[in-house]
Amino acid sequence: MKKIFLVFVPLLLLASACTEDISQLNIETKRPAAVPAPTLFSNAVKTISGSLASPSVNTNVFRFTVSHWAMSTYQDEAQYDFATRNIPQGWWTSMYRDVIADLRESAKLINADASLVPAEKANKLAIIDIMEVYTYSILVNTFGNIPYSESLNPAILFPKYDDAKTISTDLINRLNADITKINTSAAGFASGEDLIYKGSVAKWLKFANTLRMKIGMVQADVDASVAKSAVEASDAGAISAAADNGLFTYMAASPNQNPLYVDIVLGGRSDYIAAKDLMDKLLGWNDPRTSAYFTPNNAGVYAGGIVGKGNTYVDFSRAGTKIIDASAPCVLADYVETEFLRAEAKERGFNVAGTAESHYNNAIRASIIYWGGTTADADAYLAQPSVAYATAAGDWKQKIGTQKWLALYNRPYEGWVEIRRLDQPKIAAPVGAKSGFPTRLTYAANEQTLNGANYTAAASAIGGDVVTTKLYWDKF
């Protein structure tokens, strides 16, 4: 009788449990069923800013590639080893899944929102598209041919790779349309939703013009007519003062702190140091940005280590306090790069206002002031024969390329684009380099297994999926 009772009790409990409603267990209480369009837009902007600002060796290693930083201990990425930590996969995934996908969903929701005033809707959609163009320009200038026309389409499991030049031309066309649609008299995203321009539609218009100028200029050596058209159409409307800078400003409090602060200060990293190539230029020209870019070593002097070689950490300079401040901004577009583009445009014979020398001087002066220097500091720097446009060494590519490389410190991805494009300055190869200078990243590893046929066709079309394959615009 006892055994029968022991069997009966569990059966009774089971029967009792089956009468309860367990459907509530399927409800995700920690993930919202719907995300507002502005939140998706803000998250996309934050993600791309974080990717560009990050010093993580798992994500953004371009500070080593352009010889702005060296490493004291781990040399893999400094030596152009991008496979060990699968850098291309992280870069690819972040841009497609975490940025473009959010932007598209945001646009979809805004399109469906019947409550929006038409002009406001048009502004929001244009701003979203500007950021999508910005992201695609990074992808195409990193990898070459990429999924574009069929990307992120749930109905297409195996998207084809589009031709890189065709994509770049289409990106310019998209900006042409966006610039036409923007109405500066109407609202865009609210201040708290727009993490770059705090609701200023007029400044987004300037951002779009600078972006069009930049995408056009990338093609200058392979299609001068496309570059000329894009630059000339953009000149008057592009960023024209530091107040127009496109900045993603971080906060002092977690979880919205600058990735450099998170990785270096909170993470306690003690292996990032100044690179000798950069430090030699800064010290050789008495550059007033030196103390902002770096701190002295433990002996109180500025010194740069050799990229790719083991370096004793305490003997070399480290990232400056302004760079690793928790609330330091990430620059997405600014007056400095726009003025350098204008200087280059004049040298290429494009019809833009001003002179190459005046734009060169404006860019350098703005950079020095941005980093805490004074007008007097900038004037003294520019007065040096080795810096002055009329007397600095080399042709215009060397003059502009070298100074732009210096000014793009802490914008390493952009620095990498410019070194490939202008072939200046000439930097030393890292010790133990695994390849020649990387002119692209290899495709994401999972593309080979998940989209094999299209991957193989793309790799063949560009000349091989290796880091030294030059992209279509990299002609010299």
Side-chain angles (χ1 to χ4, degrees):
M1 187 67 181
K2 184 176 181 181
K3 291 181 179 179
I4 294 174
F5 179 76
L6 290 174
V7 171
F8 177 74
V9 170
L11 290 173
L12 182 63
L13 292 174
L14 180 61
S16 172
C18 289
T19 64
E20 295 181 9
D21 180 9
I22 62 172
S23 64
Q24 297 298 310
L25 298 176
N26 291 325
I27 297 176
E28 295 189 76
T29 59
K30 294 185 178 180
R31 192 168 84 173
V35 181
T39 302
L40 288 163
F41 172 71
S42 299
N43 190 64
V45 170
K46 181 184 177 184
T47 300
I48 195 167
S49 300
S51 296
L52 293 170
S54 175
S56 171
V57 292
N58 297 306
T59 308
N60 181 347
V61 297
F62 299 118
R63 288 178 176 85
F64 313 119
T65 308
V66 300
S67 204
H68 282 172
W69 282 9
M71 295 283 276
S72 63
T73 308
Y74 306 105
Q75 303 303 327
D76 293 341
E77 289 72 34
Q79 295 173 340
Y80 306 153
D81 176 0
F82 305 133
T84 297
R85 291 189 178 88
N86 205 359
I87 307 302
Q89 183 71 60
W91 197 251
W92 178 283
T93 301
S94 176
M95 299 296 168
Y96 275 113
R97 184 194 66 192
D98 302 330
V99 180
I100 296 174
D102 275 5
L103 291 172
R104 289 197 179 174
E105 184 64 19
S106 179
K108 177 182 175 182
L109 293 173
I110 288 172
N111 258 318
D113 188 349
S115 69
L116 286 174
V117 175
E120 179 182 344
K121 177 181 286 191
N123 279 344
K124 288 182 175 180
L125 291 174
I127 290 168
I128 290 171
D129 195 59
I130 289 164
M131 283 308 303
E132 185 172 323
V133 167
Y134 186 95
T135 309
Y136 268 120
S137 72
I138 291 174
L139 282 166
V140 78
N141 291 333
T142 298
F143 298 103
N145 295 5
I146 55 169
Y148 178 69
S149 61
E150 297 181 351
S151 67
L152 299 175
N153 184 339
I156 301 176
L157 297 180
F158 309 108
K160 68 177 182 178
Y161 286 58
D162 293 288
D163 172 71
K165 188 177 188 303
T166 302
I167 295 170
S168 295
T169 300
D170 190 61
L171 295 179
I172 292 173
N173 291 335
R174 287 170 65 171
L175 288 174
N176 292 341
D178 293 332
I179 288 167
T180 301
K181 292 173 185 175
I182 288 178
N183 181 349
T184 57
S185 298
F189 287 101
S191 178
E193 301 163 351
D194 178 357
L195 303 179
I196 298 178
Y197 284 124
K198 312 304 179 190
S200 174
V201 175
K203 289 187 177 180
W204 273 108
L205 188 57
K206 290 179 180 290
F207 183 98
N209 275 286
T210 285
L211 179 58
R212 180 169 61 177
M213 183 181 289
K214 183 161 60 174
I215 295 174
M217 194 66 88
V218 166
Q219 301 189 59
D221 286 336
V222 67
D223 195 333
S225 63
V226 167
K228 185 175 187 293
S229 177
V231 170
E232 291 179 355
S234 304
D235 178 35
I239 292 172
S240 57
D244 303 330
N245 290 351
L247 307 177
F248 182 92
T249 302
Y250 288 95
M251 303 174 69
S254 179
N256 296 309
Q257 297 160 317
N258 188 295
L260 287 106
Y261 173 82
V262 174
D263 200 28
I264 295 173
V265 178
L266 297 184
R269 292 207 68 127
S270 56
D271 51 353
Y272 300 145
I273 60 172
K276 187 176 186 300
D277 279 311
L278 177 57
M279 187 58 75
D280 285 353
K281 282 284 192 297
L282 294 173
L283 296 179
W285 290 339
N286 300 305
D287 197 308
R289 294 166 291 192
T290 304
S291 60
Y293 284 6
F294 297 106
T295 59
N297 65 11
N298 283 23
V301 299
Y302 292 99
I306 297 173
V307 181
K309 175 182 177 295
N311 298 281
T312 303
Y313 183 71
V314 297
D315 291 343
F316 299 99
S317 298
R318 281 84 76 177
T321 55
K322 184 170 183 175
I323 291 168
I324 59 174
D325 184 80
S327 57
C330 171
V331 180
L332 299 180
D334 69 353
Y335 179 55
V336 174
E337 71 171 321
T338 310
E339 281 295 274
F340 276 125
L341 288 169
R342 290 181 172 121
E344 179 181 344
K346 291 299 294 186
E347 289 289 5
R348 290 185 182 273
F350 299 169
N351 185 24
V352 300
T355 66
E357 181 175 6
S358 66
H359 291 307
Y360 171 91
N361 291 344
N362 289 343
I364 294 170
R365 186 173 286 110
S367 176
I368 289 171
I369 291 172
Y370 174 84
W371 287 102
T374 65
T375 300
D377 292 333
D379 290 343
Y381 180 74
L382 286 164
Q384 298 176 93
S386 55
V387 175
Y389 199 70
T391 54
D395 60 9
W396 67 263
K397 281 193 173 184
Q398 182 174 340
K399 296 175 186 183
I400 294 173
T402 300
Q403 287 297 329
K404 197 170 188 179
W405 172 73
L406 289 169
L408 286 172
Y409 178 69
N410 208 38
R411 296 187 65 193
Y413 169 78
E414 300 294 349
W416 182 48
V417 172
E418 296 307 298
I419 282 184
R420 290 179 290 158
R421 197 171 66 79
L422 298 173
D423 298 297
Q424 293 292 341
K426 304 299 184 185
I427 58 176
V431 173
K434 302 297 190 297
S435 69
F437 184 79
T439 48
R440 63 182 293 273
L441 291 185
T442 55
Y443 288 123
N446 66 5
E447 282 292 290
Q448 299 181 44
T449 53
L450 301 179
N451 195 16
N454 288 313
Y455 158 80
T456 300
S460 175
I462 66 171
D465 186 23
V466 294
V467 297
T468 50
T469 295
K470 288 193 172 187
L471 301 185
Y472 78 94
W473 47 260
D474 189 0
K475 288 295 183 183
F476 303 107

